[in-house]
């Protein structure tokens, strides 16, 4: 079975991110339910940092773009599409122009988590504001 994953981290607990950022979980690898080796040993072929771009139903092929912008074709007998989710920025004027350099982060993936950790280390803020009621916003603690 081939699994196409848009991100670099195929298996982690997104709701554990606050515990990693707080230091309660010392190693981010502990957020993974299984390691990449475990997944591959179970028979999964992982295409990480790969984005599906088109499905050719008649040819039973998935077109994708790999990590180096290389195109890939993946043949399939059966296809399951799991689109995942995207974090939503609230409609606050000017928010769409702010990013990590400004101390504003969307927190949805391990990549986002590492960027936040870098920002916290660099900026060393005294306070923070968490906006949102997803897995992360609901679990965030002092």
């Amino acid at each position: 079975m081939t699994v196409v994953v848009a991100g670099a981290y195929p298996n982690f607990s997104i709701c554990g991110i606050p515990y990693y950022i707080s230091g309660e979980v010392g190693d981010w690898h502990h957020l993974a339910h299984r390691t990449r080796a475990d997944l591959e040993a179970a028979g999964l072929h992982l295409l990480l940092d790969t984005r599906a771009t088109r499905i050719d139903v008649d040819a039973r092929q998935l077109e994708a773009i790999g990590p180096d912008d290389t195109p890939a074709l993946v043949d399939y007998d059966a296809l399951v599409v799991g689109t995942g989710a995207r974090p939503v920025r609230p409609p606050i004027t000017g928010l769409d122009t702010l990013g990590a350099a400004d101390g504003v982060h969307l927190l949805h993936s391990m990549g986002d988590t590492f960027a936040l950790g870098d920002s916290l280390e660099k900026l060393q803020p005294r306070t923070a504001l968490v906006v949102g009621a997803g897995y992360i916003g609901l679990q965030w603690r002092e």
Side-chain angles (χ1 to χ4, degrees):
M1 181 181 304
T2 299
V3 180
V4 177
V5 181
Y9 308 94
N11 184 35
F12 70 95
S13 175
I14 191 168
C15 58
I17 289 174
Y19 301 101
Y20 171 70
I21 293 294
S22 74
E24 287 182 61
V25 174
D27 182 345
W28 71 268
H29 291 93
H30 293 143
L31 297 179
H33 304 288
R34 293 179 184 91
T35 66
R36 180 176 182 166
D38 292 338
L39 296 171
E40 290 173 343
L44 298 178
H45 172 66
L46 302 173
L47 298 177
L48 303 181
D49 286 324
T50 301
R51 188 173 43 86
T53 56
R54 184 174 176 275
I55 300 169
D56 184 336
V57 176
D58 294 330
R60 296 187 141 214
Q61 286 186 322
L62 175 81
E63 293 179 16
I65 302 293
D68 299 324
D69 290 329
T70 54
L73 289 176
V74 181
D75 295 318
Y76 67 86
D77 295 320
L79 178 67
V80 174
V81 178
T83 58
R86 290 181 181 225
V88 176
R89 283 184 180 248
I92 299 170
T93 303
L95 183 60
D96 58 335
T97 64
L98 301 174
D102 306 298
V104 176
H105 295 268
L106 292 175
L107 196 52
H108 184 72
S109 69
M110 288 309 301
D112 297 338
T113 303
F114 299 140
L116 174 59
D118 292 344
S119 184
L120 291 172
E121 189 174 308
K122 180 181 175 186
L123 300 174
Q124 297 193 6
R126 292 183 352 180
T127 61
L129 174 66
V130 177
V131 177
Y135 287 125
I136 297 166
L138 286 174
Q139 290 192 34
W140 202 271
R141 302 186 280 163
E142 196 175 310

